[in-house]
Amino acid sequence: MQLIVLAGATGSMGGRIAQALRQRGASVRAIVRPGTHAKRLDVLRKQQVEIVEADLHAHHDIVRACEGASCVVSTLLGLHETLIDAQGALLDAAVAAGVPRFIPSDYAMDFNKVTPGLNRNFDLHREFKERLDRASIRSTSILNGAFMNLLTGEAPLVLFKIHRVLYWGQNPDQLIDFTTMDDTAGFTAEAALDPDAPPILRIAGEQISAAGLAAAASQVSGKPFHLLRGGSLNRLQRIIRITRVLTPASDAPFPVWQGMQYLYCMFEGSGLLTPLDNQRYPNLRWTGVRDVLRQAK
Ligand SMILES: NC(=O)c1ccc[n+]([C@@H]2O[C@H](COP(=O)([O-])OP(=O)(O)OC[C@H]3O[C@@H](n4cnc5c(N)ncnc54)[C@H](OP(=O)(O)O)[C@@H]3O)[C@@H](O)[C@H]2O)c1
């Protein structure tokens, strides 16, 4: 039985990946922060996930926690202190413990192809990738586009109240990648257990444009959804700059202006995932946009 070490298991993606790994019969050891409330660990304990409470910077403790693992999976979320410093400490410990493989906390569009400076969070992912590429460990970056769940949540794309789908730029047919968190977690679990997984795996539950989203929302709701153009990409860039200047500095990974940077990158299109690796694990089934929009009805 393979042992997978997971950092970030108390979070949305980490919890899902822990469950997906247990469903596949893997042993899971979760590294959680010291002092994590017992209630937050109940769900992991019920799934027979082993819990190790340790600070990721406590090198010897983390090396011990990584020993015997076939892969270390990270789903940490944060800014430089977390994605570079804490995740870097986890990486160093995995290498010192002789773990053969590492999956970084990416779960994004293809930030390797997005121009540096266009998205603050992608710049952090890219910085960590450079460090990972220099380390003596094999890695697999999971790229899934945007979480499809955001379509009925925070992403201001399908505007249910006014029956509009917002887009930016010239091209309402620009494809965008969406994958649910559950599908991403299932695929990540498969990749964690796959000794031959390559350095990058790209997945999308569905690639769909703003025009396609309008058609899907119309079909699912039975009411016509029309396109609403926010403006040019240059205009969106100006709004981002102004919002960033006016927003007080914070440690939040997703302030409003950062959300706008994601929107910019979606409609600019360079981070579109191709080719897709959806078929690598043939037992997986993919949730489509209509399935998710139906939940918002
Ligand atoms: N593609 C998309 O649309 C999209 C959207 C959202 C997120 N993501 C990506 O998905 C990944 C995970 O996000 P998520 O939504 O699962 O985040 P989340 O729910 O906030 O979970 C983050 C996890 O990281 C842990 N953590 C953060 N900083 C830490 C530190 N310094 N030391 C130890 N543990 C730390 C948290 O522990 P505590 O519980 O102790 O705080 C938590 O377990 C990230 O890579 C993120 O960029 C992608």
Side-chain angles (χ1 to χ4, degrees):
M1 193 193 287
Q2 292 194 54
L3 168 67
I4 307 298
V5 165
L6 183 56
T10 52
S12 312
M13 268 306 285
R16 285 172 166 86
I17 292 173
Q19 186 180 22
L21 284 165
R22 292 295 299 129
Q23 283 166 351
R24 287 160 175 80
S27 295
V28 180
R29 186 179 291 154
I31 304 174
V32 304
R33 294 199 237 219
T36 301
H37 199 288
K39 266 200 174 153
R40 300 189 62 216
L41 301 175
D42 277 355
V43 57
L44 294 169
R45 288 216 166 92
K46 277 190 191 128
Q47 297 174 79
Q48 273 93 47
V49 169
E50 183 190 343
I51 312 274
V52 174
E53 280 197 33
D55 186 316
L56 291 171
H57 292 284
H59 183 68
H60 295 296
D61 294 347
I62 304 301
V63 172
R64 212 173 308 123
C66 288
E67 274 166 5
S70 55
C71 183
V72 168
V73 178
S74 166
T75 62
L76 300 176
L77 174 66
L79 301 184
H80 200 279
E81 205 176 281
T82 299
L83 275 190
I84 308 298
D85 299 341
Q87 190 172 226
L90 175 67
L91 172 64
D92 292 345
V95 172
V99 178
R101 300 182 52 240
F102 192 97
I103 296 185
S105 191
D106 286 340
Y107 318 108
M109 66 177 77
D110 195 345
F111 55 85
N112 305 295
K113 294 191 193 154
V114 173
T115 307
L118 281 182
N119 183 304
R120 184 270 315 264
N121 290 8
F122 289 171
D123 291 345
L124 291 172
H125 288 293
R126 201 180 299 103
E127 185 178 339
F128 187 73
K129 187 182 181 326
E130 283 164 15
R131 183 164 172 176
L132 187 54
D133 287 347
R134 289 194 305 269
S136 313
I137 195 166
R138 282 183 295 128
S139 65
T140 299
S141 174
I142 308 291
L143 301 178
N144 56 270
F147 286 148
M148 202 182 277
N149 315 58
L150 295 173
L151 284 174
T152 53
E154 291 114 87
L157 288 169
V158 184
L159 309 176
F160 293 95
K161 283 191 184 143
I162 58 169
H163 301 112
R164 295 284 183 279
V165 172
L166 182 65
Y167 77 99
W168 291 86
Q170 303 298 331
N171 182 11
D173 295 316
Q174 169 63 51
L175 291 175
I176 304 167
D177 298 290
F178 293 98
T179 314
T180 64
M181 294 182 89
D182 284 338
D183 289 351
T184 305
F187 190 90
T188 303
E190 295 281 350
L193 297 169
D194 173 2
D196 301 321
I200 300 182
L201 284 171
R202 303 170 187 86
I203 52 170
E206 190 165 344
Q207 294 187 315
I208 191 166
S209 64
L213 283 173
S218 303
Q219 186 191 349
V220 164
S221 67
K223 297 175 194 116
F225 275 65
H226 299 289
L227 287 167
L228 175 65
R229 184 169 183 265
S232 68
L233 286 174
N234 283 340
R235 181 168 183 224
L236 180 55
Q237 195 60 267
R238 282 196 297 277
I239 296 172
I240 292 169
R241 252 185 251 122
I242 293 165
T243 313
R244 196 168 180 178
V245 168
L246 296 178
T247 307
S250 98
D251 295 342
F254 301 117
V256 171
W257 59 264
Q258 171 67 80
M260 294 181 199
Q261 288 192 328
Y262 279 97
L263 275 185
Y264 183 96
C265 293
M266 282 177 186
F267 290 106
E268 183 258 348
S270 59
L272 188 73
L273 299 174
T274 177
L276 293 177
D277 298 293
N278 284 34
Q279 301 310 319
R280 183 177 179 89
Y281 310 114
N283 55 321
L284 297 178
R285 296 285 163 271
W286 298 93
T287 311
V289 161
R290 283 168 178 75
D291 302 318
V292 169
L293 293 182
R294 224 167 262 128
Q295 294 158 18
K297 260 179 86 177

